[in-house]
Amino acid sequence: MNVIGEHQDHDGHLGHHGTDAHGAHAHHAHDATATGPGGSLWRQAVSATLHCLLGCAIGEVLGMVIGTALGLHNLGTVVLSIALAFVFGYSLAMRPILKAGLTLAAALPVALASDTVSIATMELVDNGLMLVIPGAMDAGLSSALFWGSLVLSLAIAFTLTVPVNRWLLARGRGHAVVHQYHQH
């Protein structure tokens, strides 16, 4: 469920952010104390983290496939996977920004500001776990150990990144910087 660009009123109803008298997008600061664990900030954090997970998973899998195919050492494969996770994560973040009419040069800094901490958190946890699970990195692409470890590490990374994204959103940072570019 994508609730980015929506807010919850005091009665619990979801609605879109309004516009001011000049038609400009009204910006509402998110107060961490205004919503509880079931509130809009948590849903936005889950949505932002799912978005991050998609980019990271694409980059991770592609990096592992390429690294294995090229016979790279584990460190080379991890570095390639991390680099591709950032590339795909930023690419996905820039889609709505570019769609809103910004140039690539203007969209890139917005994507960097919105997703860097989220991607970095997810990559640190995911790759750290892959490296410490015995035999996971050496298991190979045809191994259930490899794929099971990757799924587990991404799931744990997702779980640990959601509160990071909520913390960022509550402060108007992270994925909050792209809210104005999402079409309502």
Side-chain angles (χ1 to χ4, degrees), residues 4-7 15-19 25-30 44 179 184:
I4 294 174
E6 295 182 326
H7 68 282
H16 292 290
H17 291 295
T19 55
H25 183 80
H27 178 72
H28 299 282
H30 295 286
Q44 288 179 8
H179 284 193
H184 303 300

Side-chain angles (χ1 to χ4, degrees), residues 55 59 80-94 119:
L80 178 61
S81 294
I82 291 171
L84 290 174
F86 274 94
V87 167
F88 282 96
Y90 289 142
S91 296
L92 291 174
M94 288 195 317
I119 295 170

Side-chain angles (χ1 to χ4, degrees), residues 2 20 24 35-37 40 46 60-61 104 106 112 122 149-150 157:
N2 186 358
D20 64 18
T35 57
S40 151
V46 167
E60 287 288 324
V61 171
L104 183 60
L112 294 174
M122 189 159 289
S149 299
L150 184 59

Side-chain angles (χ1 to χ4, degrees), residues 53 60 64 121-131 133 136 146-161:
L53 177 66
E60 287 288 324
M64 295 293 175
T121 302
M122 189 159 289
E123 287 303 299
L124 178 68
V125 173
D126 169 44
N127 285 289
L129 287 171
M130 284 297 289
L131 290 170
I133 295 173
F146 171 80
W147 291 106
S149 299
L150 184 59
V151 168
L152 177 65
S153 68
L154 286 170
I156 292 171
F158 172 82
T159 302
L160 295 177
T161 304

Side-chain angles (χ1 to χ4, degrees), residues 5-182:
E6 295 182 326
H7 68 282
Q8 189 172 20
D9 65 18
H10 297 289
D11 297 324
H13 297 101
L14 288 175
H16 292 290
H17 291 295
T19 55
D20 64 18
H22 302 288
H25 183 80
H27 178 72
H28 299 282
H30 295 286
D31 180 4
T33 61
T35 57
S40 151
L41 279 179
W42 283 106
R43 284 192 300 273
Q44 288 179 8
V46 167
S47 177
T49 308
L50 283 171
H51 174 268
C52 178
L53 177 66
L54 178 61
C56 288
I58 292 169
E60 287 288 324
V61 171
L62 190 56
M64 295 293 175
V65 169
I66 293 170
T68 300
L70 295 177
L72 297 180
H73 188 271
N74 287 349
L75 178 62
T77 300
V78 167
V79 169
L80 178 61
S81 294
I82 291 171
L84 290 174
F86 274 94
V87 167
F88 282 96
Y90 289 142
S91 296
L92 291 174
M94 288 195 317
R95 283 185 61 214
I97 303 166
L98 293 169
K99 211 173 187 181
L102 269 70
T103 65
L104 183 60
L108 185 58
V110 175
L112 294 174
S114 72
D115 282 26
T116 297
V117 172
S118 182
I119 295 170
T121 302
M122 189 159 289
E123 287 303 299
L124 178 68
V125 173
D126 169 44
N127 285 289
L129 287 171
M130 284 297 289
L131 290 170
V132 299
I133 295 173
M137 289 296 293
D138 296 320
L141 297 175
S142 61
S143 167
L145 173 61
F146 171 80
W147 291 106
S149 299
L150 184 59
V151 168
L152 177 65
S153 68
L154 286 170
I156 292 171
F158 172 82
T159 302
L160 295 177
T161 304
V162 169
V164 171
N165 280 327
R166 188 201 182 277
W167 184 85
L168 291 167
L169 284 163
R171 284 148 188 78
R173 295 192 170 131
H175 214 76
V177 301
V178 298
H179 284 193
Q180 64 184 312
Y181 301 106
H182 287 267

